[in-house]
Amino acid sequence: MNMKNYFKHIKISYTESFLLVISFITINFFNIILRKLLNPFSLHEGIMFSISYAFPFILLFLIISYQIQKNNIFINLSMKVSPWHVYIVIFIMMFSIMTINDHLSSLIPRRGDVLENMYKEINFFLQEEVRNPIPFLSTTVLLAPICEELLFRGIILNGMLKNNIHPLKAILFSSLLFGLTHMNPWQLVGGILIGTFIGYIYYMTSSIMDCILLHIFNNALATIGVFYTVKDDNIISNINNIGIDKPFHWPVFVIGSFILTIGFYYLLKMRKMNKF
């Protein structure tokens, strides 16, 4: 990827977006080396988790910052906040998306050697991390939303939109990349679904702050759910019931879709009235 050309025009193509995410995933593998380097310091496991999570983002953002300064480029990321009534609407919509996502994700098979082992590893990882609530909460609820939104909406989606890629295609493609970085089928669905909604909000409001707040809301509720399941030993119960098929509850999908339709209509109306 021609980084100089990329930052000079602040435009990103499909290929450049993909390569940027591949670079991010590649940097993640250096976490193994990073953990070995940190071992002599005898850091708390929770702190190690936070550092290893932040490391790829920090390194990638340092590279981006260097290119920006080198080429005298200013990337305008609006930190404006939307009107209070807009927040009421988008947070209700976000909750609906989360409910639909939780339901759809639960329908993804967890049987078979690969999926079953992957599912067990994820659940046991969560079980270990909740024993360190402060690092886990600070990373999941604050650090992750800020870093991920700056990368996927602030840089990738923003760059694709400035490259005159159709908004729908840009939103869907950036959301697909967002889902793929989670590297498991359950969060892939959530990454695409929730990422698409947050991407749409970014397109409507042009505010990265709105995206960060929505992401914080999503992760906060999800984290509360994780603490609840661990407290009630539901994680072990979920693992033991891997072979049980989940029913599809149509009311969840219908009610959620109805709320989203009203919300989308409201946001489009606000955009036409130049209220953002």
Side-chain angles (χ1 to χ4, degrees):
M1 176 169 54
N2 189 334
M3 297 296 288
K4 183 176 181 180
N5 181 69
Y6 159 62
F7 286 107
K8 182 177 181 180
H9 298 94
I10 323 177
K11 297 177 181 179
I12 306 180
S13 66
Y14 291 107
T15 302
E16 290 170 327
S17 299
F18 180 74
L19 291 177
L20 191 59
V21 171
I22 289 297
S23 300
F24 168 72
I25 294 175
T26 302
I27 294 173
N28 264 289
F29 287 105
F30 285 97
N31 275 329
I32 300 173
I33 300 175
L34 178 64
R35 281 180 171 269
K36 289 183 179 180
L37 292 175
L38 293 176
N39 278 337
F41 297 95
S42 301
L43 295 175
H44 191 277
E45 185 62 29
I47 297 176
M48 288 277 284
F49 167 67
S50 299
I51 293 176
S52 62
Y53 179 86
F55 172 72
F57 286 104
I58 292 174
L59 185 56
L60 191 62
F61 291 153
L62 284 175
I63 295 172
I64 291 173
S65 297
Y66 169 76
Q67 292 292 337
I68 290 174
Q69 293 178 0
K70 181 180 178 181
N71 294 287
N72 250 352
I73 298 299
F74 174 71
I75 296 181
N76 182 22
L77 290 178
S78 175
M79 301 299 288
K80 68 177 182 179
V81 293
S82 297
W84 63 270
H85 47 88
V86 171
Y87 281 123
I88 292 177
V89 172
I90 64 176
F91 275 93
I92 292 175
M93 294 175 71
M94 185 66 172
F95 184 77
S96 299
I97 284 280
M98 291 170 60
T99 303
I100 293 174
N101 169 63
D102 184 64
H103 185 62
L104 292 178
S105 298
S106 70
L107 299 177
I108 297 176
R110 292 170 288 175
R111 294 180 248 181
D113 293 337
V114 176
L115 291 179
E116 184 173 335
N117 289 333
M118 186 182 297
Y119 186 76
K120 287 181 178 180
E121 287 178 6
I122 292 171
N123 281 285
F124 281 125
F125 167 78
L126 292 174
Q127 203 171 26
E128 289 297 317
E129 291 305 326
V130 296
R131 295 176 182 175
N132 308 301
I134 295 179
F136 182 68
L137 283 171
S138 61
T139 301
T140 306
V141 180
L142 291 177
L143 183 62
I146 294 173
C147 291
E148 291 175 7
E149 290 310 315
L150 287 175
L151 176 60
F152 288 96
R153 255 61 68 176
I155 296 175
I156 294 177
L157 177 56
N158 180 52
M160 294 181 76
L161 291 173
K162 290 185 179 299
N163 199 23
N164 295 321
I165 294 175
H166 190 280
L168 180 59
K169 294 180 180 179
I171 291 170
L172 289 176
F173 189 75
S174 61
S175 299
L176 173 62
L177 295 179
F178 177 57
L180 288 173
T181 57
H182 290 83
M183 298 184 181
N184 69 76
W186 302 279
Q187 287 181 294
L188 170 64
V189 172
I192 295 174
L193 194 60
I194 293 174
T196 297
F197 174 69
I198 296 179
Y200 173 78
I201 295 302
Y202 180 76
Y203 171 67
M204 296 296 289
T205 67
S206 300
S207 173
I208 197 67
M209 177 60 72
D210 289 355
C211 301
I212 291 173
L213 292 176
L214 285 171
H215 203 144
I216 288 175
F217 177 71
N218 172 77
N219 286 17
L221 290 187
T223 303
I224 291 172
V226 169
F227 276 100
Y228 173 78
T229 54
V230 170
K231 180 180 179 181
D232 289 354
D233 294 324
N234 287 336
I235 280 185
I236 301 300
S237 176
N238 287 338
I239 294 175
N240 292 333
N241 293 328
I242 282 178
I244 299 177
D245 293 328
K246 301 291 183 179
F248 188 84
H249 300 292
W250 282 104
V252 173
F253 185 80
V254 172
I255 294 173
S257 299
F258 177 72
I259 293 173
L260 290 173
T261 301
I262 296 175
F264 285 133
Y265 173 78
Y266 172 80
L267 293 175
L268 286 171
K269 186 177 180 180
M270 292 290 291
R271 183 179 175 87
K272 289 180 179 178
M273 296 170 62
N274 295 320
K275 296 294 184 179
F276 294 122

